[in-house]
Amino acid sequence: MGKLINIDNGGTLTDICVMDGAQVYRTKTLTTPFDLSKCFFEGLVKVSAQIYGASDVVSLLASTDHIRYSTTQGTNALVERKGPRLGLVVSGTLGVADFQSTPEYAKLFRDMVDARVAQLDASIDAKDLEPRLVDAVNQLASAGANRIVVAHGGPDHLSAESMIKSILLRKFPQHLLGALPILYSHEMVRDNNDVRRAWTALFNAFLHPAMERFLYNAEHKLRTNKAQNPLLIFRNDGHSGRVAKTIALRTYSSGPRGGMEGTRALAEHLGLKHLVSIDIGGTTTDIGEVRDNCVTEDVHGRVEGVEVSFPLCNMVSVGVGGSSIIRSQADAIQVGPESVGSAPGPACFGLGGTQATITDAFLLAGLLDPASYFGGELKIDSARARKAVETHVATPLGIDTDEAVARMEAAWVEKVAEGIRAFTTVSPDTTLAAFGGAGPFVVCKVAEAVGVSKVLIPGLAAVFSAFGLGFSDISHVYETPADHDTDLKSARADLMKRAERGMYAEGFALSECDLDWRVRVTGPTRDESTPDVGALPEAGPGESVSLQLRATRAIAKPDLRGQFTGARVSPVQQGDRRVATDGAMADLPLYRVEDQPAGASASGPAVLEEAFFTCRIDAGWSFEISDAGDVLLSRQ
């Protein structure tokens, strides 16, 4: 079996995890938002040097079976509202008011579409409709739209949108330079709920341009470097597929979903009934949960609180991370949702950033060591951090820097805790799983704020979402309309042919795949999928029935090992670190995770650190380290 490469691209850092049998190599690189393929390949260069002693990407790729990639770029783009200016053409029963049913929806609609909306009556004949359509598209383009979504409301939406498409293709041929890309909602998804289908198309149009440019550029570079297999995109349904088989919206929260797949595997391995995960990166905190070894999933997922036509893992993304901008606002402190990302990054990075972040605060609090931060590869600057905190927090609030740092931590912790409380209810069975580069920082305080007494920090916490991608298979769903006049034998044969072609393009024969047949019923208020038992169910008014086939090719997955035995082995201490804790500076014992024997345990206050994360163990908490390097924190 060859190597497996997993890459998780975040707003601030990009994580790389290479599995070669039982051996796992990992590294991080700063995300390069101006060209995501740059950090992608910088990570491959760094990890190949770990493996071979000198950088050798060609040898790495030649010995690799699968490369899986996930990203939070879509999540971050929507959180920060960074994307194309969309235009919207609505007709039939759809109107602008349908997108503004709540203040939150109305704000999101303004941020994405604003006033670039054209309302048409598609019930008129094609001759009268044509000039109105031309005027509408020209007006939207003049208003600044650089992508347009067409959505018709009503049971005739497919035929109405098809007619609109035929007119616009004649008047605005898509092969011409400068032609506006136009997306028709019926081509995006089969869904009789008009508003949900239209929102799905809007989100996809918002995310598509940046994802398309990067992914095809990355795939081209992989081929240039003699990659043996195509790049696989890890999707938000927990499966993977080629770039050409993936739509942009399927990448939304795909990075966090990787973390959830790893969380599920770890919960099952350790026998944890309720594991709430907080994946804290540079821009967002992604919160999810595993109950009884299952990742909870919504039939209709929510993007920024809006229901969409695809199932999504039940997660939320809160605009708080290690690079979130922290500033004073009146007499209070505001955390995020804006982030400095990796460029220019926190002020302490010395890359041009001047805004204050929690990373700057933790540096001033002594929690971070400039010599060991980011594996010692990134020298951070306390003077720059101090200036940022003084300028944006301390001076405006009339307090000293030490108090500003303490209040920044408290506000940051509360925003993370607030996200957890809004998402789920904790119980005595609840364990908090903290990962991502910023997840472990002050997780004891977060746990106390939400009433949790156990915290799990995975051994690969800093790259855990990348590691979690390794639990996915290659899978695709094929679907065709069906009713009681349908020849089911022919419909199944057609789906088999489509699946055979699709999986062949992935490099596998259909005979190597597991097949799952389903019947789906969709309507304005119904979306159900049941096993295909050879007969079609009755469809109600406005509902439609389709036949589905999921083809899945299982591929190699990581092995999990290690348990917590309560052995109480004395830890190896690497000196002390002077850290602010509970309002005062104190010399705390420092423990390096990599140097600890299995079963090592001690009580706080202390600092626990490895190459890519640092955790302050507060008073009243203790830690135990398993033989796999996982860390269990317990409140005494």
Side-chain angles (χ1 to χ4, degrees), residues 174-234:
Q174 293 297 291
H175 65 276
L176 295 180
L177 292 174
L180 271 176
I182 300 176
L183 175 64
Y184 302 86
S185 72
H186 77 279
E187 294 181 338
M188 179 73 199
V189 64
R190 287 177 51 84
D191 189 349
N192 289 342
N193 185 305
D194 299 319
V195 176
R196 188 168 60 211
R197 187 183 67 253
W199 269 115
T200 303
L202 284 169
F203 284 132
N204 195 72
F206 189 83
L207 299 175
H208 183 92
M211 296 307 305
E212 180 183 45
R213 285 193 302 271
F214 158 63
L215 292 175
Y216 279 102
N217 192 24
E219 196 168 48
H220 172 72
K221 288 187 177 181
L222 286 173
R223 287 195 298 267
T224 301
N225 284 273
K226 298 181 172 52
Q228 302 300 299
N229 292 296
L231 177 65
L232 296 175
I233 307 306
F234 179 79

Side-chain angles (χ1 to χ4, degrees), residues 124-168:
I124 61 177
D125 60 46
K127 181 179 178 181
D128 292 330
L129 178 61
E130 185 171 305
R132 299 186 189 186
L133 268 174
V134 171
D135 287 344
V137 171
N138 285 332
Q139 288 171 12
L140 293 177
S142 297
N146 47 31
R147 300 186 81 84
I148 291 177
V149 171
V150 174
H152 178 89
D156 61 335
H157 66 269
L158 193 153
S159 60
E161 289 184 16
S162 297
M163 179 176 65
I164 291 172
K165 180 178 180 179
S166 66
I167 294 172
L168 293 181

